[in-house]
Amino acid sequence: DAGVIQSPRHEVTEMGQEVTLRCKPISGHDYLFWYRQTMMRGLELLIYFNNNVPIDDSGMPEDRFSAKMPNASFSTLKIQPSEPRDSAVYFCASNRGNTEAFFGQGTRLTVV
Amino acid sequence: DAKTTQPNSMESNEEEPVHLPCNHSTISGTDYIHWYRQLPSQGPEYVIHGLTSNVNNRMASLAIAEDRKSSTLILHRATLRDAAVYYCILSPGNMLTFGGGTRLMVKP
């Protein structure tokens, strides 16, 4: 398996634009997590899914952020409209049951 | 959520053992102790986890205190590639909440 795949690896966008981050979890994994990492706040859990259903989105910072998982092999994290303070590295992770989580390489988002 | 306390940074010499401590005095009976590490410019990666007994795998060993209020991650022979931020996390299930971690520096 190629592991958790995130795209794009880097994204630079202007303030106010819509940004969509994508994640392909490892096949057979039933949990998917979205994290955000900044120097100031460290690694924050934004939302996680079980069997494509959002279970806990209490970490989503505000209504500008939304996440979907239309099927077991794909998830998106959307920011609309984006702001400079959204600049961060966004990680996607997946696992099966209560086993080790595998993280993607991350998407480095810069909002100018 | 039960919290963990780790030193901000530690230094080690290459090829020597490293003991990374973690305090978790408010751990609950259902909390597993997880360790992940994050190498520079990469996503976190799993190291080891345990509940009550000490655990060993190819990467490291996990020593858990009898009262479970603390644990120690042991790298038996540090290499330059082990330089990373090490996170100790308590969780009864899948949700992993990362703290600040310990930045391990390995000197040649």
Side-chain angles (χ1 to χ4, degrees):
Chain A
D1 203 315
V4 175
I5 300 172
Q6 293 187 244
S7 64
R9 290 294 310 276
H10 302 272
E11 175 83 38
V12 180
T13 191
E14 290 186 349
M15 185 172 68
Q17 296 298 305
E18 177 180 294
V19 176
T20 299
L21 311 181
R22 297 173 175 78
C23 176
K24 181 181 185 329
I26 292 174
S27 177
H29 283 187
D30 55 354
Y31 283 85
L32 183 139
F33 308 84
W34 282 102
Y35 286 86
R36 176 174 70 175
Q37 186 170 34
T38 61
M39 289 290 291
M40 290 295 293
R41 301 174 68 91
L43 266 164
E44 302 172 276
L45 176 62
L46 301 178
I47 185 172
Y48 78 96
F49 296 82
N50 177 220
N51 291 323
N52 313 337
V53 176
I55 303 300
D56 188 334
D57 65 354
S58 58
M60 295 285 263
E62 46 197 278
D63 292 345
R64 298 183 297 105
F65 285 70
S66 63
K68 292 183 180 178
M69 193 164 184
N71 57 61
S73 58
F74 184 65
S75 177
T76 59
L77 179 67
K78 188 176 291 187
I79 308 172
Q80 165 64 14
S82 57
E83 296 183 2
R85 60 193 169 119
D86 302 330
S87 298
V89 181
Y90 291 81
F91 289 103
C92 175
S94 71
N95 70 356
R96 177 169 48 212
N98 197 9
T99 61
E100 62 182 280
F102 291 84
F103 285 75
Q105 291 293 304
T107 294
R108 181 174 295 278
L109 173 65
T110 304
V111 183
V112 298
Chain B
D1 292 340
K3 292 201 180 297
T4 61
T5 303
Q6 299 178 253
N8 288 335
S9 64
M10 288 185 64
E11 212 169 74
S12 169
N13 293 318
E14 196 178 11
E15 299 193 4
E16 289 186 358
V18 182
H19 290 233
L20 297 163
C22 182
N23 288 320
H24 30 79
S25 58
T26 59
I27 190 170
S28 73
T30 56
D31 281 332
Y32 283 79
I33 303 161
H34 303 260
W35 283 83
Y36 281 74
R37 71 179 186 180
Q38 188 173 20
L39 302 171
S41 301
Q42 294 193 24
E45 66 174 349
Y46 170 82
V47 178
I48 201 166
H49 79 285
L51 184 61
T52 55
S53 305
N54 295 345
V55 184
N56 298 298
N57 66 20
R58 63 174 179 79
M59 284 182 73
S61 296
L62 176 59
I64 301 172
E66 202 168 320
D67 63 5
R68 302 214 318 133
K69 293 183 186 297
S70 66
S71 60
T72 302
L73 178 71
I74 302 165
L75 306 180
H76 296 286
R77 247 174 112 241
T79 68
L80 296 178
R81 198 194 168 276
D82 291 321
V85 179
Y86 287 78
Y87 298 96
C88 169
I89 303 162
L90 302 183
S91 177
N94 272 303
M95 247 180 73
L96 301 175
T97 302
F98 288 78
T102 296
R103 181 173 299 277
L104 175 66
M105 292 166 281
V106 181
K107 296 184 294 184

